[in-house]
Amino acid sequence: MAKRFLCMVLATSVLTTGCMMQQSEPQHAQNAQKTHLTAARSLNMEQLCKGEAAHRYNTGPQQVNVVGFDTFQGSYELRGYTAREEGFTCSFDADGRFLHLSMR
């Protein structure tokens, strides 16, 4: 009986401590990053994407078309295809720095 009571007290103590720790942590509101995308930056991103895709697909940048531009909370994606209908997506961070090229 005493063993059961001790286990119950310990379990309650652990649960209460865990709840108190969660409540004591400061609640920070998450704000969406809003970066201003200028025409020059988007053109630079498009040219960089075309260059990376041209290199990957062994073709010239003039044979690469960028057809879609998506903005996310912390990144940008440009979708396109080559003259041989090979699809790709270029990813950029919030500051417009190239991250990677995905083949689709």
Side-chain angles (χ1 to χ4, degrees):
M1 179 80 165
K3 206 176 212 183
R4 181 181 284 173
F5 179 74
L6 183 61
C7 288
M8 191 168 55
V9 169
L10 284 174
T12 305
S13 166
V14 169
L15 290 174
T16 305
T17 303
C19 291
M20 287 186 343
M21 292 178 90
Q22 287 178 346
Q23 291 175 355
S24 67
E25 292 178 7
Q27 299 294 325
H28 296 288
Q30 292 183 349
N31 297 325
Q33 294 177 348
K34 295 188 180 202
T35 58
H36 182 66
L37 185 65
T38 63
R41 180 187 274 178
S42 65
L43 183 62
N44 186 31
M45 289 167 56
E46 181 179 347
Q47 295 302 318
L48 184 57
C49 182
K50 282 185 171 188
E52 292 290 327
H55 178 72
R56 171 79 57 92
Y57 291 105
N58 197 27
T59 187
Q62 66 278 8
Q63 301 295 320
V64 176
N65 296 309
V66 175
V67 296
F69 188 90
D70 292 322
T71 305
F72 298 101
Q73 184 174 358
S75 65
Y76 303 102
E77 283 188 359
L78 280 74
R79 291 181 322 280
Y81 60 92
T82 67
R84 295 180 295 231
E85 301 297 321
E86 299 161 311
F88 62 88
T89 301
C90 293
S91 298
F92 294 85
D93 68 6
D95 295 324
R97 289 185 294 256
F98 180 79
L99 297 174
H100 61 86
L101 175 75
S102 300
M103 298 161 63
R104 305 280 167 162

